[in-house]
Structures are given as structure tokens and as C-alpha cells.
Amino acid sequence: MVDWSSLDTVFLDMDGTLLDLHFDNHFWLEHLPARYAQHYDLHPQEAKDRLIPMIMAERGSLNWYCTDYWSERLSLDITGLKAEVGDRIGYRPHVTDFLDALSQSGLHSVIVTNCHPDPLALKLKRTGLDTRVDAIVSSHQLGKPKEDPSFWQDLQKVTPYEADSTLMVDDSFPVLESALAAGIAQCLAVLAPDSQQEARQRHPEIPCIHHFDEVLPALRQRSPLPSGR
């Protein structure tokens, strides 16, 4: 599934890969429409009918992920509203064990996320995730989402890597397809990003897991990199 012995770098998505996507899905599909309805004195269903098509129209673009964009467009404090349901932020199953094993393996671990810096800060405060990896890069630093084919070349300027010894783990098939097209040697898809929803169908070409316990044994068998590498 993953050839750990050939790797130097592991890129990790955050939402839906390391953290439970239930938080984000609940916010965008339930909490935001409810607060939007209160703010504009709308029936809850009318608020959803307005918001969901508006949000979906930006799917795959940087705006889709941009807190500043949605705060301005909706005249609401999106980061503040996210904090209202921050208790829903949490790890997916087996993630902390996986990150511990990744650290012990000597591999360079980098979170590469489309999350905007403001909600990113909220999630890091809640989870301490930044203490478990070597670095974190938000696509907002590069001005383009991971779905953009040119993202991966620009990523080199922020965190240099060798594509032929890099693994990308993500719950988004379009992101993984973008990574593969850019020359990333190995990709791994997560099929159960939201703990409250059924797992998705497997990708026809990309190896898939439901949870990280499926790759933990092989990762733990990997010999650590030599000191100083």
C-alpha cells in the first residue's frame, strides 16, 4: 500500500485526514445556516437554500476555503462562528498513534492544508497538532489551493522536497490526483473523513484506507533514517 522505505517526506492533509471532518461539515451545513437565518431573519430552510448553492459554486477554488472571503460575502464573523462549535474539533481514530510512529521513523512530516490561517489557529489550539509534526503549510500562503496543478511546484519554495521520495495523504481525490500529476511518487486516500457519515467508495487507482491502523504496522517496521540525514 505504501513503500515506507523509499520515503523521506510525508505530506499530510489536516481536515478529514488527521482531524474529524464532522466539525467542518457540521459548521457549513448546520451551524452557519442557522446563524445566517438568525442574522437575516430567515426561515432556517430558506437560509440553507441560499447558502449551500453559493458555497458549492466555489468548490475547488481558494475562496471555498477562505474565511476572509466568506466573512465579507456573508457579513458574518466566520472564524468567531466556528469558535462557537469548537468543541467538535477532534482527531480521527488512530491519528495520534500514527503521528507518533511517523516521528519515530525519522520521516519529515508536513501538514499541507487548504485551511485558512484563522480556523487553522483555532484547530491547533484545540488539538496541539502543531507539536506532532515538523511543519505546517496553508495553501493561502501560496495563493492557490492544492487542487491547482501549479500548487506543488510553488510548495517547493516553502518546504523543499523530492517528489520521488514523497507521500501525500488526503481525503480529497481531486487533491491526490493533482499531487500525482505533479510527480508526487505515492498517494494515500482516506475514505472515512467524517465520523458521522458512511465511508466513501475507493478510488480506482489510488490506495485507500479507512483509518491509520491499516498502515501502522508497516510504518513501525520501517528503520529510522540515519542520524544527521
Side-chain angles (χ1 to χ4, degrees), residues 120-191:
L120 174 59
L122 173 66
K123 292 171 182 179
L124 297 182
K125 183 178 180 180
R126 286 276 180 171
T127 64
L129 184 56
D130 51 325
T131 66
R132 294 181 172 272
V133 295
D134 296 317
I136 300 177
V137 178
S138 167
S139 61
H140 296 262
Q141 296 171 238
L142 304 180
K144 60 190 67 173
K146 292 183 289 183
E147 291 89 338
D148 189 318
S150 64
F151 170 87
W152 304 96
Q153 183 176 354
D154 290 354
L155 183 61
Q156 286 273 11
K157 304 170 187 175
V158 180
T159 179
Y161 67 94
E162 297 294 335
D164 60 0
S165 58
T166 297
L167 167 70
M168 178 68 202
V169 188
D170 207 300
D171 67 301
S172 166
F173 291 167
V175 167
L176 293 172
E177 290 164 356
S178 172
L180 284 174
I184 301 295
Q186 299 185 64
C187 285
L188 185 65
V190 173
L191 297 176

XYZ file of all heavy atoms in Angstrom, residues 120-191:
548
model
N -7.333 27.574 11.153
C -6.183 26.707 11.427
C -5.676 26.958 12.848
O -5.405 26.016 13.601
C -5.081 26.957 10.409
C -3.750 26.230 10.626
C -3.950 24.725 10.647
C -2.738 26.630 9.550
N -5.555 28.217 13.219
C -5.091 28.558 14.568
C -6.044 28.008 15.623
O -5.614 27.511 16.672
C -4.951 30.073 14.707
N -7.343 28.090 15.361
C -8.344 27.546 16.285
C -8.170 26.045 16.462
O -8.200 25.525 17.596
C -9.753 27.857 15.756
C -10.926 27.224 16.505
C -11.033 27.795 17.918
C -12.240 27.464 15.737
N -7.946 25.345 15.362
C -7.803 23.890 15.414
C -6.509 23.469 16.102
O -6.481 22.483 16.844
C -7.895 23.316 13.999
C -9.293 23.463 13.403
C -9.355 23.106 11.939
C -10.770 23.317 11.413
N -10.899 23.003 9.976
N -5.441 24.223 15.859
C -4.179 23.902 16.525
C -4.276 24.141 18.023
O -3.747 23.359 18.824
C -3.049 24.738 15.921
C -2.735 24.511 14.444
C -1.565 25.381 14.011
C -2.451 23.046 14.155
N -4.974 25.192 18.420
C -5.149 25.484 19.844
C -5.930 24.364 20.522
O -5.644 23.984 21.661
C -5.864 26.823 20.018
C -6.028 27.242 21.471
C -6.696 28.611 21.571
C -6.864 29.039 23.027
N -7.514 30.372 23.141
N -6.910 23.830 19.821
C -7.756 22.767 20.378
C -7.050 21.420 20.447
O -7.327 20.602 21.318
C -9.024 22.628 19.530
C -10.045 23.734 19.724
C -10.920 23.438 20.925
N -11.924 24.471 21.144
C -12.907 24.363 22.021
N -13.015 23.261 22.749
N -13.768 25.342 22.187
N -6.148 21.163 19.506
C -5.582 19.814 19.364
C -4.099 19.696 19.681
O -3.619 18.591 19.952
C -5.791 19.301 17.932
O -5.051 20.141 17.022
C -7.268 19.320 17.540
N -3.358 20.799 19.593
C -1.911 20.716 19.744
C -1.251 19.986 18.593
O -0.119 19.500 18.708
N -1.936 19.950 17.462
C -1.442 19.206 16.306
C -0.088 19.712 15.821
O 0.735 18.933 15.324
C -2.478 19.288 15.180
C -2.233 18.498 13.897
C -2.042 17.018 14.199
C -3.408 18.692 12.941
N 0.175 20.995 15.987
C 1.439 21.564 15.512
C 2.653 21.009 16.260
O 3.774 21.075 15.756
C 1.414 23.084 15.623
C 0.995 23.581 16.998
O 0.144 22.939 17.631
O 1.508 24.625 17.435
N 2.437 20.446 17.441
C 3.555 19.869 18.205
C 3.877 18.450 17.754
O 4.874 17.877 18.195
C 3.227 19.840 19.708
O 2.136 18.920 19.963
C 2.830 21.228 20.201
N 3.063 17.900 16.867
C 3.227 16.499 16.451
C 3.807 16.348 15.052
O 4.000 15.230 14.588
C 1.878 15.771 16.530
C 1.348 15.632 17.957
C 0.015 14.892 17.976
N -0.419 14.593 19.326
C -0.084 13.498 20.005
N 0.719 12.606 19.442
N -0.532 13.295 21.224
N 4.048 17.479 14.359
C 4.603 17.424 13.002
C 5.764 18.411 12.907
O 5.967 19.249 13.793
C 3.538 17.769 11.935
C 2.438 16.704 11.915
C 2.944 19.153 12.190
N 6.516 18.310 11.821
C 7.689 19.165 11.646
C 7.350 20.552 11.117
O 8.061 21.520 11.393
C 8.691 18.492 10.701
C 9.240 17.198 11.282
O 9.562 17.178 12.487
O 9.334 16.199 10.532
N 6.281 20.654 10.332
C 5.925 21.951 9.741
C 4.475 21.920 9.276
O 3.876 20.847 9.124
C 6.842 22.275 8.561
N 3.903 23.109 9.079
C 2.543 23.254 8.563
C 2.542 24.320 7.482
O 3.087 25.421 7.683
C 1.545 23.642 9.673
C 1.512 22.580 10.776
C 0.150 23.849 9.091
C 0.598 22.933 11.938
N 1.946 24.006 6.341
C 1.822 24.966 5.248
C 0.345 25.078 4.882
O -0.319 24.071 4.626
C 2.628 24.526 4.002
C 2.418 25.527 2.866
C 4.106 24.394 4.338
N -0.169 26.311 4.867
C -1.525 26.567 4.387
C -1.453 27.019 2.935
O -0.588 27.834 2.574
C -2.204 27.645 5.234
O -3.384 28.119 4.603
N -2.363 26.526 2.130
C -2.381 26.911 0.717
C -2.601 28.414 0.549
O -2.251 28.986 -0.484
C -3.468 26.144 -0.031
O -4.753 26.436 0.506
N -3.142 29.077 1.567
C -3.360 30.517 1.490
C -2.031 31.279 1.464
O -1.975 32.411 0.998
C -4.240 30.973 2.652
C -5.620 30.388 2.589
N -6.710 31.061 2.069
C -6.075 29.168 2.938
C -7.775 30.282 2.124
N -7.416 29.129 2.650
N -0.966 30.643 1.961
C 0.360 31.240 1.861
C 0.819 31.322 0.405
O 1.610 32.192 0.033
C 1.381 30.414 2.637
C 1.152 30.346 4.132
C 2.073 29.339 4.797
O 1.638 28.392 5.449
N 3.373 29.517 4.628
N 0.324 30.400 -0.429
C 0.740 30.330 -1.826
C -0.280 30.943 -2.779
O -0.016 31.066 -3.972
C 0.991 28.867 -2.217
C 2.001 28.113 -1.340
C 2.153 26.677 -1.820
C 3.349 28.815 -1.348
N -1.456 31.291 -2.238
C -2.462 31.944 -3.069
C -3.178 31.030 -4.035
O -3.789 31.487 -5.001
N -3.135 29.725 -3.788
C -3.833 28.766 -4.647
C -4.087 27.485 -3.860
O -3.318 27.147 -2.956
C -3.030 28.470 -5.911
C -1.663 27.871 -5.667
C -0.829 27.820 -6.938
C -0.457 29.178 -7.440
N 0.488 29.148 -8.582
N -5.168 26.763 -4.165
C -5.479 25.541 -3.433
C -4.660 24.351 -3.931
O -4.052 24.404 -5.005
C -6.968 25.332 -3.730
C -7.127 25.879 -5.113
C -6.193 27.073 -5.180
N -4.672 23.290 -3.161
C -3.932 22.082 -3.539
C -4.456 21.459 -4.830
O -3.734 20.732 -5.510
C -4.006 21.049 -2.404
C -3.267 21.457 -1.148
C -3.317 20.370 -0.082
C -4.694 20.218 0.517
N -4.724 19.206 1.598
N -5.706 21.749 -5.166
C -6.271 21.225 -6.406
C -5.603 21.814 -7.649
O -5.681 21.235 -8.737
C -7.782 21.516 -6.459
C -8.608 20.729 -5.461
C -8.747 21.415 -4.114
O -7.895 22.280 -3.782
O -9.682 21.085 -3.372
N -4.971 22.968 -7.502
C -4.303 23.642 -8.620
C -3.008 22.898 -8.962
O -2.153 22.709 -8.095
C -3.985 25.084 -8.219
C -3.481 25.934 -9.377
O -2.660 25.421 -10.174
O -3.881 27.102 -9.470
N -2.825 22.467 -10.205
C -1.622 21.702 -10.570
C -0.308 22.429 -10.278
O 0.713 21.786 -10.019
C -1.798 21.473 -12.080
C -3.271 21.581 -12.318
C -3.771 22.589 -11.335
N -0.335 23.759 -10.305
C 0.897 24.512 -10.060
C 1.206 24.672 -8.573
O 2.271 25.176 -8.205
C 0.818 25.896 -10.712
O -0.206 26.684 -10.131
N 0.291 24.237 -7.722
C 0.495 24.364 -6.277
C 1.763 23.651 -5.833
O 2.537 24.174 -5.018
C -0.712 23.794 -5.521
C -0.500 23.668 -4.037
C -0.773 24.725 -3.195
C -0.018 22.482 -3.477
C -0.573 24.618 -1.827
C 0.183 22.368 -2.111
C -0.096 23.443 -1.291
N 2.002 22.455 -6.377
C 3.072 21.606 -5.862
C 4.455 22.154 -6.197
O 5.396 21.997 -5.415
C 2.874 20.181 -6.396
C 1.502 19.699 -6.032
C 0.379 19.735 -6.812
C 1.085 19.211 -4.763
N -0.712 19.286 -6.119
C -0.309 18.947 -4.855
C 1.744 18.944 -3.562
C -1.047 18.437 -3.781
C 1.016 18.440 -2.496
C -0.355 18.199 -2.611
N 4.565 22.812 -7.328
C 5.834 23.460 -7.670
C 6.090 24.646 -6.733
O 7.207 24.852 -6.252
C 5.817 23.927 -9.130
C 7.132 24.552 -9.575
C 7.105 24.921 -11.051
O 6.164 24.628 -11.774
N 8.172 25.558 -11.507
N 5.043 25.418 -6.461
C 5.182 26.554 -5.555
C 5.480 26.088 -4.130
O 6.160 26.788 -3.371
C 3.915 27.399 -5.569
C 3.721 28.152 -6.872
O 4.634 28.100 -7.726
O 2.666 28.765 -7.060
N 4.975 24.932 -3.765
C 5.218 24.395 -2.429
C 6.710 24.172 -2.175
O 7.189 24.290 -1.045
C 4.445 23.082 -2.254
C 4.508 22.400 -0.888
C 3.929 23.295 0.208
C 3.758 21.059 -0.932
N 7.443 23.875 -3.249
C 8.885 23.669 -3.146
C 9.592 24.880 -2.531
O 10.607 24.742 -1.844
C 9.485 23.405 -4.529
C 9.192 22.037 -5.109
C 10.219 21.005 -4.653
O 11.014 21.261 -3.749
N 10.195 19.841 -5.266
N 9.064 26.070 -2.782
C 9.693 27.290 -2.294
C 9.516 27.454 -0.783
O 10.284 28.156 -0.137
C 9.106 28.503 -3.016
C 9.225 28.437 -4.533
C 8.420 29.538 -5.198
C 8.409 29.369 -6.717
N 7.535 30.375 -7.385
N 8.477 26.829 -0.233
C 8.166 26.952 1.192
C 8.760 25.805 1.987
O 9.310 26.001 3.076
C 6.635 27.007 1.403
C 6.295 27.127 2.884
C 6.030 28.162 0.621
N 8.650 24.602 1.444
C 9.191 23.415 2.101
C 9.786 22.501 1.037
O 9.078 21.682 0.439
C 8.112 22.697 2.947
O 8.661 21.537 3.562
C 6.894 22.338 2.124
N 11.076 22.637 0.744
C 11.704 21.845 -0.319
C 11.529 20.343 -0.095
O 11.599 19.859 1.044
C 13.176 22.246 -0.220
C 13.160 23.606 0.400
C 12.025 23.572 1.374
N 11.278 19.618 -1.190
C 11.086 18.169 -1.108
C 11.455 17.534 -2.436
O 11.486 18.208 -3.470
C 9.636 17.828 -0.754
C 8.636 18.194 -1.843
C 8.233 17.257 -2.794
C 8.109 19.484 -1.936
C 7.324 17.588 -3.795
C 7.206 19.824 -2.936
C 6.820 18.878 -3.854
O 5.937 19.205 -4.857
N 11.747 16.249 -2.392
C 11.979 15.463 -3.598
C 10.714 14.677 -3.902
O 10.298 13.824 -3.098
C 13.161 14.516 -3.398
C 14.489 15.220 -3.145
C 14.958 16.004 -4.358
O 14.566 15.654 -5.488
O 15.718 16.978 -4.164
N 10.108 14.954 -5.034
C 8.812 14.341 -5.349
C 8.868 12.823 -5.367
O 7.911 12.154 -4.972
C 8.305 14.867 -6.693
N 10.010 12.260 -5.816
C 10.078 10.807 -5.951
C 10.271 10.084 -4.617
O 10.250 8.856 -4.572
C 11.177 10.404 -6.940
C 12.557 10.886 -6.517
O 12.676 11.534 -5.463
O 13.521 10.623 -7.258
N 10.427 10.848 -3.528
C 10.522 10.219 -2.208
C 9.509 10.829 -1.237
O 9.757 10.953 -0.046
C 11.938 10.350 -1.638
O 12.316 11.707 -1.542
N 8.354 11.227 -1.796
C 7.321 11.903 -1.005
C 5.994 11.160 -1.104
O 5.610 10.671 -2.169
C 7.139 13.357 -1.485
O 8.363 14.068 -1.263
C 6.022 14.054 -0.739
N 5.294 11.098 0.023
C 3.934 10.551 0.117
C 2.978 11.679 0.461
O 3.271 12.508 1.323
C 3.877 9.481 1.219
C 2.482 9.022 1.672
C 1.788 8.197 0.592
C 2.580 8.226 2.978
N 1.817 11.713 -0.207
C 0.747 12.653 0.137
C -0.457 11.869 0.631
O -0.924 10.949 -0.053
C 0.346 13.489 -1.086
C -0.806 14.465 -0.830
S -0.324 15.797 0.287
C -1.922 16.347 0.914
N -0.957 12.217 1.817
C -2.142 11.563 2.389
C -3.259 12.589 2.480
O -3.068 13.663 3.068
C -1.850 10.984 3.785
C -3.034 10.134 4.258
C -0.568 10.167 3.789
N -4.415 12.279 1.911
C -5.506 13.257 1.849
C -6.835 12.517 1.719
O -6.861 11.364 1.263
C -5.305 14.184 0.638
C -5.919 15.559 0.817
O -7.148 15.632 1.011
O -5.179 16.546 0.763
N -7.917 13.183 2.106
C -9.244 12.581 1.892
C -9.878 13.080 0.601
O -10.951 12.612 0.226
C -10.167 12.903 3.080
C -10.498 14.380 3.183
O -9.568 15.191 3.311
O -11.687 14.727 3.134
N -9.233 14.021 -0.086
C -9.776 14.578 -1.323
C -9.165 13.894 -2.536
O -7.957 14.002 -2.775
C -9.486 16.084 -1.384
O -9.709 16.590 -2.680
N -9.993 13.227 -3.319
C -9.500 12.595 -4.541
C -8.936 13.623 -5.524
O -7.875 13.391 -6.114
C -10.604 11.782 -5.215
C -11.009 10.542 -4.447
C -12.171 9.858 -4.781
C -10.246 10.037 -3.397
C -12.561 8.713 -4.094
C -10.624 8.899 -2.698
C -11.787 8.245 -3.051
N -9.607 14.775 -5.745
C -9.030 15.769 -6.665
C -7.651 16.260 -6.223
O -6.777 16.485 -7.063
C -10.060 16.909 -6.647
C -11.355 16.240 -6.332
C -10.995 15.154 -5.359
N -7.435 16.423 -4.925
C -6.119 16.847 -4.444
C -5.078 15.779 -4.724
O -3.964 16.066 -5.184
C -6.167 17.178 -2.935
C -4.757 17.306 -2.365
C -6.947 18.463 -2.700
N -5.419 14.529 -4.454
C -4.470 13.438 -4.683
C -4.158 13.285 -6.168
O -3.014 13.035 -6.547
C -5.033 12.142 -4.106
C -5.146 12.117 -2.576
C -5.899 10.877 -2.117
C -3.773 12.170 -1.921
N -5.152 13.460 -7.007
C -4.923 13.391 -8.452
C -4.018 14.534 -8.901
O -3.150 14.353 -9.771
C -6.262 13.435 -9.180
C -7.084 12.157 -8.994
C -8.541 12.323 -9.371
O -8.952 13.460 -9.707
O -9.297 11.328 -9.299
N -4.186 15.706 -8.294
C -3.317 16.850 -8.584
C -1.879 16.558 -8.163
O -0.932 16.867 -8.894
C -3.842 18.091 -7.845
O -2.948 19.177 -7.939
N -1.719 15.940 -6.990
C -0.385 15.602 -6.498
C 0.306 14.590 -7.410
O 1.491 14.732 -7.729
C -0.476 15.063 -5.075
N -0.432 13.584 -7.819
C 0.135 12.576 -8.709
C 0.550 13.198 -10.037
O 1.620 12.896 -10.574
C -0.875 11.454 -8.947
C -1.075 10.455 -7.810
C -2.216 9.498 -8.138
C 0.207 9.672 -7.540
N -0.285 14.079 -10.567
C 0.025 14.735 -11.841
C 1.274 15.604 -11.728
O 1.984 15.812 -12.717
C -1.161 15.584 -12.294
N 1.546 16.089 -10.503
C 2.721 16.929 -10.284
C 3.978 16.112 -10.002
O 5.046 16.685 -9.801
C 2.460 17.891 -9.127
N 3.835 14.795 -9.982
C 5.002 13.943 -9.818
C 5.228 13.380 -8.427
O 6.228 12.689 -8.197
N 4.314 13.665 -7.485
C 4.434 13.069 -6.148
C 4.396 11.552 -6.304
O 3.483 11.000 -6.910
C 3.300 13.542 -5.220
C 3.307 15.071 -5.079
C 3.406 12.875 -3.853
C 4.520 15.648 -4.401
N 5.392 10.873 -5.736
C 5.577 9.449 -6.019
C 4.453 8.562 -5.502
O 4.011 7.639 -6.182
C 6.908 8.981 -5.426
N 3.973 8.828 -4.276
C 2.970 7.969 -3.678
C 1.843 8.814 -3.071
O 2.097 9.884 -2.521
C 3.569 7.091 -2.578
C 4.653 6.149 -3.061
C 5.122 5.219 -1.963
O 4.372 4.382 -1.456
N 6.381 5.370 -1.577
N 0.631 8.298 -3.191
C -0.524 8.951 -2.586
C -1.359 7.910 -1.842
O -1.377 6.734 -2.215
C -1.384 9.645 -3.647
S -0.677 11.188 -4.266
N -2.043 8.376 -0.812
C -2.894 7.508 0.000
C -4.166 8.276 0.327
O -4.104 9.410 0.807
C -2.169 7.113 1.286
C -2.869 6.116 2.212
C -3.004 4.745 1.539
C -2.089 5.987 3.533
N -5.316 7.658 0.062
C -6.606 8.311 0.266
C -7.268 7.811 1.540
O -7.206 6.624 1.868
C -7.526 8.048 -0.927
N -7.927 8.718 2.247
C -8.702 8.391 3.443
C -10.172 8.342 3.057
O -10.712 9.313 2.521
C -8.464 9.436 4.552
C -9.405 9.195 5.731
C -7.011 9.408 5.007
N -10.823 7.220 3.355
C -12.201 7.005 2.903
C -13.264 7.377 3.935
O -14.433 7.464 3.594
C -12.396 5.531 2.519
C -11.550 5.016 1.355
C -11.785 3.531 1.156
C -11.856 5.789 0.082
